[in-house]
Amino acid sequence: MTENTTPPKALTRPYSFTTHGITIDDPWSWLRDPGYPKVTDEDVLSYLKAETAFFEGAMTPHKALTDTLFAEMKGRIKEDDSSVPQKDGDYVYWRAFEKGAQYRKWFRRPVGGGADQLILDEPALAQDHEYFRLGAMSVSHCGRYLAYAIDTDGSERFEARIKDLSTDEMLPDVIPGTLSSLVWTSDSKGLLYSLANENWRTDNARLHWLGTPVESDVELFHEDDEGFRVSIGLTSSEKWIVLATGDHVTSEAWLVPANDPLAKPVLVSARQAGREYDVDEREGTLYIRTNDTHPNFRLVKAPLATPDQWTEVIGASERFYLTDFTLFKNFYVTEGRDDGLDQIEIRDYDTHSAKRIAFPEASYSASLDDNPEYDVKVLRLGYESMVTPDTIYDYHMADDRLEVLKIQEIPSGYDASLYTTERLMIPARDGTDIPVSIVYPKDFAKDGTGPLHLYGYGAYGIAMEPGFSAGRLSLLDRGFAFALAHIRGGDDLGQQWYLDGKLEKRTNTFNDFVDVAKGLIQRDYTAKGRISISGGSAGGELMGAVINSDPDLWGAVVAHVPFVDVLNTMLDESLPLTPGEWPEWGNPIEDKAAFETILSYCPYNNVKAQAYPPLLVTAGLNDPRVTYWEPAKWVARLRATKTDDNILLLKVNMGAGHGGKSGRFESLHESAEEFAFILWQMGMTD
């Protein structure tokens, strides 16, 4: 592609619409190709290519810095890395990278001894594809078959395939257009999956019998609510298949015998608006996590014969947020957060008393790791902190002992003692204390002169875990502090924290982020204009909102696949995600108040004639989550409206989707570009 040093200018074409008596002008609406998901309009493609050419031209003078950052990041990756082997039935399974490879190979060997077997070769599958992603994969109960799904363009419409591991031959069974887990029946003769419909929604659960035409597959379950999505799972004992359906606030589950998938599904409890639950089974008793009495969830149980008659096992708590539970044969595990800190507890079925696993640091991220077997005495755990690399433990229950199996290796070297991490509480403008996790070099001077990178997300009840990042070291080693803002909209401090950042309370999320930045300035961690910020998807919406409201705070901004055209997207129920997103953002079609709320903060609609900070924006042409035209329209409006000469770049991945480029080194290169942009704009390229 030819480099271009002139900022592109998107044409405007008059277009407006009126909803609830309010007229909206949208002169860049033409950037949405009418043939989407196919994008063939020459004017649209020409503009996207011009933006990418401008991005490449602007970054060319900083190629040496990008290459240096990439080399640093790559040097922190153990190229021939492999996972800790784990027993599952008659085999031990693991995965490994070969030196220089972008993708993994998957292996197993018999528990009783024998040769290693390569069961899936991602590098071979990815060959000749610009993009590759492995989705669901599942070995049949008998151990003979491997079902797996792949995506080769970033559209997240996967093709499911089946391999006979006894012969290494591919079966003729190929299922296009899947978007789900792949679950085997007990006899290993049938496979359950969900198809993505024409609007990229999973409204079904289907059964495929090996050796039969896909056209004859049986639909076991169909969801009629356009806002709900169907998922398929397996209980811990593997006796029942779980067909779950729901949106962001309401759920419902049905059970099908894994040995008789055509049996009539058993409804656990009929959907009730605003109630969520998930279910597992042990010896005829269902265990159910639900928020029916409190946002922080409780655990109940019910006989399989009367699944909607619930008896409380663990009550809900203001302080403890129950995030998950896992059943094993002789005990069960609850996971949650106590005042925002991860906790893992081993519980007895008779008394339900809890043994909490102790971890060595005051702030960390911990969870169950890979535990595929039902009858175990040792638990596999994952652990990390902002200064401790990813660590895999085996927890031996008999003697309450953590055994280190693997610590993420940093080949180029890493010394945790060179860094300090803290957890701060910074008050937002309404008096709510916002947690902030921060890491910085030991010699970082808190005198208001240092650069600081602030990251946030704040949506869908997704918490920002205070974990480790090897890539982050490239900023820390250049004198940055790095902070995570645990803003409302995530569930960092429980479900109420999430509820206080959505719908009519959405602006709390943006205010929290700004107030965290101002609080860090007041504490002399940094200064106005010395803060770089980044966020992706809904976190990209956050970036758009805070540069509209407080543009002078930020020295550099990176918005990855940003959800910035919120109003238009929520008004278009034909888009893949829209009906299912209304519980998160509001339905502006039917609700004028929701329309006005979204309009009040929507980044695209609130661009104004003011100076904006330097900005790097990314998009994926095949992205089904945040469609490419959202960042494209936003950039076009910013170019036409802003009053400054600061750089504004849009990089469009023409062969990728929501997650950017695939492959561990390609994604590293994009991180290197991001950091090079930040250092360039912060005047730190030397």
Side-chain angles (χ1 to χ4, degrees):
M1 186 177 291
T2 304
E3 292 175 5
N4 188 351
T5 56
T6 303
K9 183 177 181 181
L11 298 174
T12 58
R13 298 177 183 174
Y15 174 76
S16 65
F17 63 91
T18 300
T19 303
H20 301 297
I22 300 171
T23 299
I24 305 293
D25 289 318
D26 190 2
W28 293 279
S29 66
W30 65 269
L31 283 169
R32 174 181 176 171
D33 191 311
Y36 181 82
K38 294 183 178 180
V39 184
T40 59
D41 185 284
E42 288 300 325
D43 289 344
V44 171
L45 289 171
S46 177
Y47 172 68
L48 299 179
K49 290 174 182 177
E51 285 286 4
T52 299
F54 178 59
F55 162 81
E56 292 176 350
M59 292 299 294
T60 294
H62 309 286
K63 184 179 184 302
L65 176 58
T66 303
D67 290 345
T68 297
L69 290 163
F70 175 76
E72 290 175 8
M73 294 176 182
K74 188 175 180 182
R76 299 188 193 108
I77 292 180
K78 180 174 170 57
E79 290 204 33
D80 54 350
D81 196 18
S82 62
S83 66
V84 179
Q86 178 65 298
K87 178 179 176 295
D88 186 5
D90 295 331
Y91 295 90
V92 173
Y93 292 84
W94 73 99
R95 57 195 180 274
F97 283 104
E98 293 180 345
K99 191 170 183 178
Q102 296 265 25
Y103 303 97
R104 298 177 177 89
K105 291 184 175 181
W106 299 72
F107 297 90
R108 73 177 184 182
R109 63 172 172 265
V111 171
D116 295 351
Q117 180 185 10
L118 173 63
I119 62 172
L120 190 67
D121 188 340
E122 284 190 54
L125 292 171
Q127 193 172 358
D128 301 326
H129 293 292
E130 180 181 349
Y131 178 95
F132 174 83
R133 177 182 166 194
L134 176 66
M137 63 179 296
S138 177
V139 176
S140 63
H141 298 285
C142 66
R144 178 175 176 178
Y145 301 109
L146 170 68
Y148 64 91
I150 62 172
D151 171 17
T152 56
D153 64 7
S155 66
E156 298 185 55
R157 292 178 183 271
F158 293 84
E159 180 179 271
R161 303 174 179 178
I162 301 171
K163 182 179 181 181
D164 187 336
L165 297 178
S166 67
T167 63
D168 278 341
E169 294 179 352
M170 299 301 301
L171 300 188
D173 311 59
V174 175
I175 309 171
T178 65
L179 184 61
S180 70
S181 55
L182 302 171
V183 176
W184 288 96
T185 58
S186 296
D187 61 7
S188 301
K189 295 180 180 179
L191 186 70
L192 277 76
Y193 66 93
S194 293
L195 285 179
N197 66 16
E198 64 276 5
N199 286 319
W200 196 70
R201 300 168 189 161
T202 51
D203 59 6
N204 61 90
R206 302 175 67 83
L207 172 65
H208 174 74
W209 294 113
L210 294 190
T212 65
V214 172
E215 295 75 22
S216 64
D217 288 356
V218 180
E219 185 173 76
L220 301 180
F221 181 84
H222 186 84
E223 174 58 62
D224 293 326
D225 190 316
E226 281 292 304
F228 278 43
R229 301 290 181 271
V230 175
S231 62
I232 306 169
L234 199 61
T235 60
S236 298
S237 66
E238 301 187 345
K239 293 180 180 178
W240 295 88
I241 294 168
V242 182
L243 308 179
T245 182
D247 58 13
H248 293 294
V249 298
T250 304
S251 59
E252 181 180 80
W254 300 72
L255 301 176
V256 177
N259 63 0
D260 187 10
L262 294 175
K264 183 180 179 181
V266 176
L267 173 62
V268 175
S269 183
R271 66 190 69 179
Q272 297 177 17
R275 183 189 69 171
E276 296 178 88
Y277 71 86
D278 50 271
V279 62
D280 203 348
E281 181 271 344
R282 174 186 181 263
E283 297 180 3
T285 297
L286 301 180
Y287 286 78
I288 300 158
R289 187 185 72 104
T290 180
N291 63 350
D292 60 345
T293 64
H294 193 282
N296 279 347
F297 287 82
R298 64 177 181 142
L299 189 69
V300 300
K301 65 180 181 180
L304 186 57
T306 54
D308 61 348
Q309 296 182 13
W310 296 355
T311 302
E312 185 168 281
V313 174
I314 302 172
S317 165
E318 285 290 337
R319 179 174 176 177
F320 183 77
Y321 172 35
L322 179 64
T323 59
D324 202 3
F325 74 101
T326 306
L327 303 185
F328 294 91
K329 183 177 180 181
N330 298 312
F331 64 93
Y332 68 101
V333 175
T334 53
E335 296 180 80
R337 285 194 286 278
D338 204 335
D339 289 338
L341 191 63
D342 286 344
Q343 305 294 347
I344 302 173
E345 296 176 328
I346 316 298
R347 293 182 178 267
D348 175 77
Y349 281 113
D350 294 326
T351 66
H352 304 291
S353 59
K355 167 63 180 176
R356 182 170 286 187
I357 299 175
F359 293 104
E361 294 176 278
S363 179
Y364 57 85
S365 173
S367 63
L368 287 183
D369 196 68
D370 182 26
N371 293 276
E373 294 195 326
Y374 185 53
D375 187 4
V376 294
K377 297 178 180 178
V378 177
L379 285 176
R380 185 69 51 85
L381 309 177
Y383 175 92
E384 59 187 300
S385 77
M386 293 192 83
V387 295
T388 300
D390 185 27
T391 303
I392 302 298
Y393 288 112
D394 264 355
Y395 175 68
H396 298 262
M397 285 177 287
D399 51 1
D400 188 25
R401 175 172 57 90
L402 285 171
E403 175 191 2
V404 176
L405 301 181
K406 180 183 178 181
I407 299 175
Q408 178 184 352
E409 185 178 335
I410 313 294
S412 59
Y414 173 70
D415 183 353
S417 69
L418 298 177
Y419 309 93
T420 298
T421 184
E422 293 182 87
R423 187 175 176 90
L424 310 174
M425 300 298 287
I426 295 179
R429 63 196 67 179
D430 65 358
T432 303
D433 283 335
I434 310 302
V436 182
S437 299
I438 186 169
V439 60
Y440 49 83
K442 265 288 197 316
D443 59 357
F444 183 82
K446 298 177 187 176
D447 59 6
T449 65
L452 180 143
H453 188 81
L454 182 61
Y455 182 84
Y457 185 72
Y460 299 110
I462 297 174
M464 290 291 98
E465 300 286 355
F468 184 77
S469 166
R472 183 190 298 153
L473 297 174
S474 288
L475 289 182
L476 298 180
D477 291 348
R478 286 171 172 80
F480 273 76
F482 192 105
L484 296 173
H486 302 282
I487 52 183
R488 284 172 282 186
D491 67 354
D492 306 64
L493 294 186
Q495 274 285 293
Q496 192 61 50
W497 201 250
Y498 163 48
L499 298 175
D500 287 342
K502 63 183 290 192
L503 296 171
E504 72 278 359
K505 298 180 180 180
R506 181 62 184 154
T507 53
N508 282 339
T509 303
F510 315 137
N511 294 340
D512 288 355
F513 191 83
V514 169
D515 294 342
V516 163
K518 292 179 177 178
L520 291 168
I521 292 170
Q522 291 170 359
R523 288 162 173 76
D524 288 331
Y525 283 89
T526 188
K528 183 181 292 188
R530 295 289 287 160
I531 306 174
S532 60
I533 59 175
S534 64
S537 196
E541 175 203 284
L542 170 66
M543 297 299 101
V546 302
I547 66 172
N548 281 338
S549 67
D550 295 84
D552 58 337
L553 280 179
W554 324 115
V557 181
V558 180
H560 293 291
V561 290
F563 179 40
V564 285
D565 195 14
V566 187
L567 184 62
N568 277 313
T569 294
M570 289 299 100
L571 285 169
D572 188 349
E573 56 191 315
S574 72
L575 289 174
L577 296 181
T578 293
E581 298 290 295
W582 287 329
E584 182 76 16
W585 311 103
N587 183 347
I589 299 173
E590 298 180 354
D591 185 348
K592 183 179 181 180
F595 181 96
E596 292 174 338
T597 297
I598 296 171
L599 179 60
S600 73
Y601 68 73
C602 177
Y604 176 64
N605 293 103
N606 286 279
V607 171
K608 49 196 165 189
Q610 65 179 11
Y612 280 87
L615 183 62
L616 168 60
V617 183
T618 67
L621 189 68
N622 299 327
D623 188 347
R625 298 177 184 269
V626 176
T627 49
Y628 75 86
W629 61 81
E630 292 206 31
K633 288 171 59 178
W634 183 47
V635 167
R637 175 163 270 169
L638 280 165
R639 286 205 193 284
T641 310
K642 69 190 190 84
T643 61
D644 60 88
D645 294 324
N646 289 327
I647 195 76
L648 170 57
L649 300 176
L650 172 61
K651 178 186 179 182
V652 184
N653 282 313
M654 302 299 283
H658 197 62
K661 291 186 177 180
S662 62
R664 56 176 176 164
F665 299 134
E666 286 293 339
S667 59
L668 272 189
H669 190 266
E670 295 200 322
S671 296
E673 287 178 336
E674 174 186 351
F675 283 9
F677 175 82
I678 289 169
L679 292 168
W680 166 27
Q681 296 306 316
M682 300 282 277
M684 300 176 64
T685 56
D686 295 335

